[in-house]
Amino acid sequence: MSIFPAFAEQAVQESTSASATKDSDKTWLKNSSFHFIARSPSRSDNITLGKFGTDSDSILEGETSKSASTSRKRKKSLKKKTRKKGRGDEISVVSTTTIEENEFFEVNPKGNRELLMVSTISRPSAPQYHATLHLNASHKYIYSKKKYKRYHQHIPEKLINKTEDELVLTKHNLDTVKFAERDDHYSGFKHEEELSQKTAFYNRHLTNFPADIKVWLEYIQFQDTVYEFEKTYRKGSIAKAQIVLAQRKLAIIDKAVSLNSSCDLLHRKRLNIAVTAFPADELQNYLKELVNKDKSNIILWQGYIEATQCSMSHCNTPAVLNLYSKCLSTLHQLRRSTSVEKYLLEESILRMLYQCCLFLKQAGLFEQLWTLLKMYLELNLSSNDKSKFNISSGFRENQLTELEDIIFTSNLPLHELWLRTERLRESCHWVPYTEEDNNCEDPQRIVFTEDVAELIHPITKPENIFKLTATIFTLLKIPLLPCRHTTMQDLGLDYVPWSLDSIEPLLSMFLPIYPVEMENEHLWTDNRLAVGPQYLKKLPGQEEYLEFILKIMENSSDCLSGDNKIAITVWFFRFQRLLIILDKSTLLILADSFKKKIKKTVREFLKHDENRQNEIYYLEYALIEYELGNKDNCFKIINTALSFNKQTEFVTENWPNNQKNWCYLYKNLIQMKLCSKLCDDYTRSERNEDALKLICEMVLIQKDIQPNENILNKVEAKLDSISAEIIETKVSNLPTLQHFLPDFATDWLIIHVLFKYSMETKYGGFFKLLDDVLYTAIENYPNNVFILSILEREQSIGNALGPRWWKMQNMLLSSGRALSSLFAIVIVNQHILNLRETVCDTITGDKYDINSSLKNKMLSLFKKVTSGVTTRKCGLVWRLYLQFVYTYFSPELCRNVYYSAVEECPWLKSLYIDAAIYIPAELSQIQDLIIEKQLRLHVTPEELDILRS
């Protein structure tokens, strides 16, 4: 019996008749089961099988008389021949009959355009292959799998039966073939075409204009868009794709740097990309190779050193200082061997000196820091008087011993004892031990000149002496006054995000520069952010350290001459005025005797013969009198200074000092008249009238003038004329020291604006206009503290975090600077404090408790800032982050944030001290880390146990 119904009748006939003919009956071909299983196509289907192919009917009718073995050989040779054909050979487009809807499969007769661009097929579409094990000569099993190249079958044109639906596909007509209709709903085609066109544009443009830095940066940024497309439409490992993305960016930026070797933006961009692309070991090797190729490149040196300094596994004090010493020595040797770039190399030395000293300060090594700074001051400022900067701390050691005894008898927990003792000694010890008996219990207090000798190199250019002095002041926690973007840029303080570890650099926002009320009692409420030695928090050593830095400023001024002396003296006076302002704002507590001493010091300084006729000194003294509450004395002193000036006319270029000082004095007078704090009893119109009178006196160079319509028109015309000439004239960049001195162009334009302000009576859409100006200003000058302060003041008045704020926040975070990103945090934190202080429950009277939504917004902001390439190294951001999560979230989250902070800033001692507050249970492990990194430790755990007992 046959298994298949199609062969049932044939089986019966063969069993009954042994003499069956050679040509058997073909009736089984018409059996219904055969039609279902393998229906043969008709002749009208016109299927072309290939070069040696034949149609199916002739096969079924037995038209060949060859044996089965010959047929097998023929099939084998046919396979070999067809595999030899390569791409570009002719193939035929095959058409098939339409499949009925009720069948179990479907054949797609149209071409698929997507398959033309696929080099391989991914799972699950790809078939599975079974590997075969073979025993080789060494009796080891190996895998064997044959690989075949994709091929197109060659069909001779004479063997093809062409119809309307058939077309021969060759390499010549490939572009004209009509494939399946394009699926407009498939977005991948459109996106890929757009990316290809954009890439072609960048390649063409950068080939023709290789110096277009903006387009190079856009092309690098464009690779993120390509990455997103590949991640969406193409499968693969995300981790590998990110590595490929970084390598692709580095390849582009290497090409850009080779064509624009002097562009700092490209070098910094390459550095930021390399940080995200390589692990710590590979990053160090990569940057070391770049430094060896370009030893004078300060940006590469910064990245190379930070690769070790910012690595938790590699950071320790001797290793980092060795790299700084190697860098400074290399730059010094290059300075001696070349004359073309000598000025730039000396500036690079100053910048690397700043970062080296910053590392010493943040690692707690203040004794080594002051020894190094003192030697630079003696070498470059007081070479004839080596004792000029032999300044002692003035703190009595027996007082420190008495305070420690009080701490150890207080029965506080161990972590609290260590925290208080460490902070106390840190606040009192900042100069090396100088007693001759050498009876010092702390060996780290003893610092010799040889310990820092390798870091000392002379400054030979006179114009760099002021930069050296300003750098030293900044390292001693004296804020820049004023703190402008260009000032930081010229001093090399820009692009050092980890320079912010305490709040002293931000104090310049409290110094009034223009008639804008900047006071905000909720801006800084926690002095724990100050790191010792410091002058903000009421601790032993606070007043001594303040007197110490004031003496350094005064002695530095005495050693200088000319504009350098005037600029440093003005900075000295402004810093003392800032101290008085902070005292009035309760951010700093000064004794009355100290404030009287400030006033006495300034008056004695003005009595010197060389200072008697200096109008700028008189103005600064008048402003100090104003902050002390003596308003009448303030105006009297300014008028006295004006009597020294003999101004006759205005020139719009190469203006003399008397013209600059004349305009500067009047500008300050006008601003004080418009300030509501000074004239509380005046109405707004009365203040405007007084301001207009002063403007008329300044512009027309005439005292006691009464403004009328004719005079005001004359003044306005002169203001417009001179302002237009100033704007049209190409003004050269100001030298660094000129940022602390009067500038006629700036002051004249400010007076012109104040004139317009005093003449106007209506101010519609003020906040919208202010937003636009602030957005543009911060985008161009993200390190200008005054502009950032105006933004903070505006947001505090609005007291809301709506869409307008989110736009500003994105702008602040995208600046790539730690200072502007920090202000984003300050603004939101201030908003929270304002709510807690001003809003309360009307029923219970309890203070406002911020909701989870506001907490999560702040938490999200911290995560954004600490994930940035540059801002994640900012110590002050991490300390604010820890304060926030410690106050509002779980201890587990606080612990995680703490270790993330230490991972990013392993050299920052203030973070290790904060461990006693946030994770006291793990203090012993933190102390081990301090010892391992060889940071400054004033009291060891073993010494603490002895002192407790």
Side-chain angles (χ1 to χ4, degrees):
M1 180 177 178
S2 176
I3 297 177
F4 298 98
F7 298 94
E9 296 179 4
Q10 184 178 356
V12 173
Q13 292 178 3
E14 289 178 353
S15 63
T16 58
S17 175
S19 60
T21 61
K22 187 177 181 180
D23 295 329
S24 60
D25 189 7
K26 303 297 188 301
T27 57
W28 60 271
L29 293 173
K30 300 179 180 179
N31 192 288
S32 61
S33 63
F34 174 79
H35 284 284
F36 179 76
I37 296 175
R39 183 182 61 184
S40 62
S42 63
R43 173 69 64 181
S44 61
D45 291 336
N46 196 16
I47 299 180
T48 303
L49 297 180
K51 183 175 181 180
F52 298 98
T54 180
D55 54 38
S56 57
D57 286 345
S58 63
I59 294 176
L60 293 175
E61 291 175 0
E63 292 179 357
T64 178
S65 60
K66 293 187 178 180
S67 62
S69 59
T70 305
S71 177
R72 284 195 297 270
K73 292 180 181 179
R74 185 173 181 178
K75 291 180 181 178
K76 186 175 181 181
S77 64
L78 190 147
K79 289 182 181 179
K80 291 181 179 179
K81 291 179 181 180
T82 54
R83 286 174 186 168
K84 292 180 182 179
K85 303 299 178 181
R87 294 188 179 182
D89 295 334
E90 298 181 356
I91 63 174
S92 63
V93 178
V94 180
S95 63
T96 61
T97 56
T98 304
I99 306 301
E100 297 178 6
E101 294 180 358
N102 58 354
E103 299 208 13
F104 300 104
F105 62 91
E106 180 181 357
V107 177
N108 184 6
K110 301 180 180 181
N112 192 340
R113 186 182 294 269
E114 295 181 46
L115 297 179
L116 296 178
M117 295 178 290
V118 177
S119 58
T120 185
I121 304 176
S122 303
R123 301 284 184 188
S125 302
Q128 294 183 355
Y129 294 92
H130 298 282
T132 305
L133 286 173
H134 295 280
L135 191 65
N136 62 2
S138 60
H139 301 285
K140 293 183 180 180
Y141 285 100
I142 59 173
Y143 285 100
S144 174
K145 186 174 68 172
K146 294 182 179 180
K147 296 182 179 180
Y148 302 101
K149 294 183 179 181
R150 297 177 64 188
Y151 64 92
H152 297 296
Q153 214 171 16
H154 174 69
I155 303 174
E157 190 173 348
K158 61 182 180 179
L159 296 180
I160 299 176
N161 297 322
K162 299 180 181 179
T163 63
E164 295 181 357
D165 298 331
E166 292 182 350
L167 179 66
V168 177
L169 183 64
T170 67
K171 61 181 180 180
H172 302 293
N173 65 359
L174 182 63
D175 297 333
T176 62
V177 174
K178 296 181 179 179
F179 288 90
E181 294 183 1
R182 187 187 184 100
D183 185 6
D184 294 333
H185 298 290
Y186 181 67
S187 59
F189 290 139
K190 182 178 180 181
H191 289 174
E192 188 166 14
E193 287 182 0
E194 291 176 352
L195 294 179
S196 299
Q197 293 173 2
K198 196 72 173 176
T199 302
F201 160 75
Y202 283 124
N203 289 329
R204 288 194 307 268
H205 182 84
L206 293 174
T207 301
N208 298 326
F209 305 98
D212 195 338
I213 306 300
K214 183 179 180 181
V215 177
W216 278 112
L217 296 175
E218 289 177 359
Y219 189 25
I220 296 169
Q221 190 69 25
F222 174 69
Q223 303 309 310
D224 293 329
T225 307
V226 178
Y227 166 73
E228 292 297 329
F229 171 82
E230 294 175 344
K231 188 172 66 173
T232 304
Y233 294 100
R234 298 178 183 175
K235 297 180 181 179
S237 172
I238 296 179
K240 290 182 179 179
Q242 290 176 340
I243 295 175
V244 171
L245 171 65
Q247 292 175 346
R248 189 184 299 160
K249 287 184 175 181
L250 287 176
I252 296 172
I253 206 166
D254 286 341
K255 180 66 175 178
V257 169
S258 66
L259 299 172
N260 306 274
S261 59
S262 61
C263 180
D264 290 349
L265 284 176
L266 291 176
H267 286 293
R268 293 196 183 279
K269 190 68 175 179
R270 178 169 61 178
L271 185 62
N272 293 338
I273 295 172
V275 169
T276 60
F278 300 108
D281 294 335
E282 295 182 18
L283 178 64
Q284 291 178 11
N285 295 331
Y286 173 76
L287 293 174
K288 184 178 181 180
E289 293 179 1
L290 293 179
V291 166
N292 290 333
K293 294 177 182 177
D294 188 3
K295 294 184 179 181
S296 64
N297 193 315
I298 183 67
I299 298 174
L300 295 179
W301 273 111
Q302 289 173 339
Y304 178 42
I305 297 174
E306 288 176 13
T308 299
Q309 181 176 328
C310 300
S311 172
M312 188 65 182
S313 58
H314 297 90
C315 176
N316 63 76
T317 298
V320 176
L321 288 179
N322 182 49
L323 289 177
Y324 278 117
S325 176
K326 183 179 179 181
C327 172
L328 290 170
S329 177
T330 302
L331 294 174
H332 176 62
Q333 293 175 3
L334 290 173
R335 180 179 58 170
R336 296 180 61 184
S337 60
T338 182
S339 59
V340 179
E341 300 179 351
K342 189 172 183 179
Y343 178 79
L344 296 177
L345 288 169
E346 189 159 292
E347 283 192 340
S348 298
I349 290 176
L350 284 174
R351 296 189 179 194
M352 293 311 299
L353 172 67
Y354 169 71
Q355 291 195 205
C356 177
C357 294
L358 193 64
F359 171 78
L360 289 173
K361 184 185 77 169
Q362 294 183 355
L365 300 167
F366 227 94
E367 292 90 351
Q368 292 188 36
L369 172 66
W370 172 238
T371 302
L372 181 60
L373 296 181
K374 174 187 172 185
M375 296 183 68
Y376 265 97
L377 288 170
E378 291 176 350
L379 181 64
N380 297 283
L381 268 71
S382 63
S383 57
N384 297 327
D385 186 4
K386 297 295 184 181
S387 63
K388 192 73 173 179
F389 294 98
N390 286 335
I391 306 172
S392 61
S393 66
F395 188 82
R396 296 181 292 108
E397 288 295 326
N398 58 353
Q399 182 183 358
L400 177 62
T401 305
E402 295 172 0
L403 293 171
E404 287 183 355
D405 291 339
I406 297 174
I407 293 175
F408 294 133
T409 57
S410 61
N411 296 324
L412 290 171
L414 182 61
H415 67 275
E416 191 68 28
L417 286 176
W418 179 80
L419 176 65
R420 296 195 179 192
T421 307
E422 182 69 25
R423 283 186 170 175
L424 180 62
R425 292 186 178 182
E426 186 182 58
S427 299
C428 300
H429 294 159
W430 66 86
V431 295
Y433 187 80
T434 56
E435 299 296 332
E436 296 180 357
D437 54 6
N438 292 329
N439 188 22
C440 182
E441 297 179 355
D442 186 357
Q444 286 189 288
R445 291 191 61 195
I446 302 175
V447 181
F448 299 103
T449 305
E450 294 78 10
D451 298 334
V452 295
E454 295 182 353
L455 300 171
I456 299 174
H457 300 282
I459 303 301
T460 60
K461 296 291 183 180
E463 56 268 28
N464 286 333
I465 295 297
F466 177 82
K467 291 184 178 181
L468 172 66
T469 309
T471 300
I472 292 175
F473 286 1
T474 305
L475 290 166
L476 294 173
K477 303 183 181 182
I478 302 168
L480 290 171
L481 301 172
C483 184
R484 295 173 178 151
H485 179 85
T486 50
T487 309
M488 295 185 67
Q489 204 170 35
D490 290 348
L491 291 175
L493 312 183
D494 193 15
Y495 284 107
V496 188
W498 47 276
S499 63
L500 295 173
D501 64 314
S502 59
I503 63 175
E504 287 89 354
L506 303 177
L507 295 177
S508 59
M509 66 184 300
F510 294 99
L511 184 72
I513 302 177
Y514 306 107
V516 180
E517 296 181 14
M518 303 301 300
E519 291 184 358
N520 197 322
E521 58 182 348
H522 302 303
L523 190 59
W524 295 109
T525 59
D526 192 352
N527 282 337
R528 286 187 303 177
L529 294 171
V531 181
Q534 48 79 40
Y535 51 84
L536 289 177
K537 192 175 181 181
K538 191 63 178 177
L539 277 177
Q542 173 209 18
E543 189 171 337
E544 288 81 2
Y545 181 71
L546 187 56
E547 291 179 346
F548 173 78
I549 59 177
L550 287 174
K551 190 64 177 177
I552 292 173
M553 296 185 78
E554 185 177 0
N555 290 357
S556 299
S557 174
D558 293 340
C559 295
L560 297 172
S561 60
D563 287 343
N564 287 342
K565 178 182 179 66
I566 297 175
I568 291 297
T569 304
V570 168
W571 193 352
F572 175 48
F573 287 168
R574 287 176 182 172
F575 179 62
Q576 295 179 88
R577 175 156 58 100
L578 176 63
L579 295 175
I580 298 171
I581 294 172
L582 295 175
D583 177 71
K584 293 195 299 182
S585 303
T586 68
L587 293 174
L588 169 68
I589 299 177
L590 293 177
D592 292 337
S593 58
F594 194 87
K595 289 185 282 188
K596 292 180 180 178
K597 184 178 179 181
I598 290 176
K599 183 176 178 179
K600 180 181 178 181
T601 302
V602 177
R603 292 182 64 180
E604 291 295 329
F605 184 85
L606 291 175
K607 290 180 180 179
H608 297 167
D609 294 337
E610 66 271 17
N611 303 328
R612 287 179 179 273
Q613 301 296 319
N614 193 305
E615 302 147 276
I616 305 175
Y617 293 164
Y618 274 86
L619 174 63
E620 294 298 333
Y621 176 46
L623 295 175
I624 290 176
E625 287 280 11
Y626 163 67
E627 296 297 344
L628 290 171
N630 304 322
K631 299 177 183 178
D632 294 336
N633 287 346
C634 171
F635 285 107
K636 182 179 179 181
I637 295 170
I638 295 178
N639 288 323
T640 301
L642 283 171
S643 65
F644 301 153
N645 197 300
K646 304 299 181 183
Q647 177 65 20
T648 57
E649 61 178 355
F650 293 106
V651 295
T652 55
E653 56 183 356
N654 298 325
W655 39 77
N657 286 333
N658 64 330
Q659 178 175 316
K660 292 190 294 185
N661 295 342
W662 175 269
C663 192
Y664 182 63
L665 290 170
Y666 267 104
K667 184 201 72 172
N668 282 274
L669 272 177
I670 296 164
Q671 289 179 164
M672 284 189 288
K673 284 294 183 180
L674 292 173
C675 184
S676 60
K677 289 196 307 177
L678 182 63
C679 309
D680 294 328
D681 299 333
Y682 287 5
T683 63
R684 177 179 172 181
S685 60
E686 290 174 336
R687 293 200 302 269
N688 289 349
E689 290 177 3
D690 288 347
L692 286 173
K693 180 181 178 181
L694 290 172
I695 293 174
C696 293
E697 290 181 359
M698 191 277 297
V699 174
L700 300 178
I701 316 176
Q702 183 179 351
K703 298 289 291 183
D704 299 328
I705 190 173
Q706 295 299 325
N708 52 42
E709 185 176 355
N710 186 29
I711 291 177
L712 290 175
N713 291 335
K714 186 177 180 180
V715 169
E716 184 175 11
K718 192 170 184 178
L719 285 169
D720 292 339
S721 174
I722 296 180
S723 296
E725 291 184 27
I726 291 174
I727 294 173
E728 291 175 0
T729 304
K730 184 178 180 181
V731 181
S732 58
N733 293 331
L734 292 175
T736 308
L737 64 89
Q738 291 296 329
H739 296 174
F740 297 84
L741 300 177
D743 178 61
F744 173 73
T746 304
D747 294 334
W748 181 274
L749 294 176
I750 289 174
I751 291 174
H752 194 173
V753 172
L754 294 177
F755 176 80
K756 297 289 186 183
Y757 173 83
S758 301
M759 293 288 289
E760 293 289 338
T761 56
K762 297 181 180 180
Y763 304 92
F766 173 73
F767 278 101
K768 177 63 173 66
L769 178 62
L770 182 60
D771 273 350
D772 295 338
V773 173
L774 286 174
Y775 189 94
T776 304
I778 295 176
E779 193 175 36
N780 290 285
Y781 307 105
N783 283 326
N784 191 301
V785 173
F786 176 75
I787 298 175
L788 293 169
S789 304
I790 295 295
L791 175 65
E792 174 270 326
R793 182 61 174 167
E794 182 207 26
Q795 294 296 322
S796 65
I797 293 175
N799 201 26
L801 299 177
R804 189 159 52 89
W805 158 243
W806 290 113
K807 179 183 177 182
M808 284 288 181
Q809 176 185 294
N810 293 333
M811 178 266 300
L812 290 171
L813 298 186
S814 63
S815 66
R817 306 302 202 283
L819 192 58
S820 56
S821 301
L822 178 64
F823 262 83
I825 295 172
V826 169
I827 291 170
V828 182
N829 187 52
Q830 177 195 342
H831 178 68
I832 294 174
L833 292 174
N834 284 339
L835 289 176
R836 293 182 59 185
E837 293 294 329
T838 58
V839 180
C840 63
D841 193 314
T842 56
I843 299 177
T844 62
D846 296 334
K847 289 187 176 181
Y848 174 80
D849 187 16
I850 66 172
N851 53 37
S852 58
S853 175
L854 194 54
K855 292 179 185 177
N856 292 333
K857 284 182 180 180
M858 189 66 167
L859 186 64
S860 175
L861 177 59
F862 273 116
K863 289 180 179 179
K864 288 180 182 177
V865 175
T866 53
S867 62
V869 176
T870 55
T871 53
R872 68 184 181 185
K873 303 299 180 185
C874 181
L876 186 55
V877 169
W878 282 109
R879 299 184 70 199
L880 289 169
Y881 193 2
L882 284 168
Q883 278 191 358
F884 179 74
V885 294
Y886 179 75
T887 305
Y888 297 107
F889 290 90
S890 64
E892 184 63 25
L893 178 60
C894 184
R895 179 182 180 275
N896 294 339
V897 171
Y898 179 83
Y899 280 109
S900 298
V902 173
E903 183 74 22
E904 296 292 345
C905 308
W907 74 92
L908 190 58
K909 186 196 170 186
S910 57
L911 279 176
Y912 294 98
I913 294 181
D914 290 342
I917 302 173
Y918 304 119
I919 50 171
E922 303 181 35
L923 181 60
S924 59
Q925 293 92 320
I926 300 300
Q927 290 171 335
D928 292 339
L929 276 178
I930 297 176
I931 297 172
E932 176 188 339
K933 303 300 178 188
Q934 299 188 39
L935 307 180
R936 182 69 165 99
L937 191 63
H938 290 85
V939 53
T940 62
E942 295 78 13
E943 183 185 359
L944 187 63
D945 290 335
I946 296 174
L947 292 174
R948 286 176 64 199
S949 60

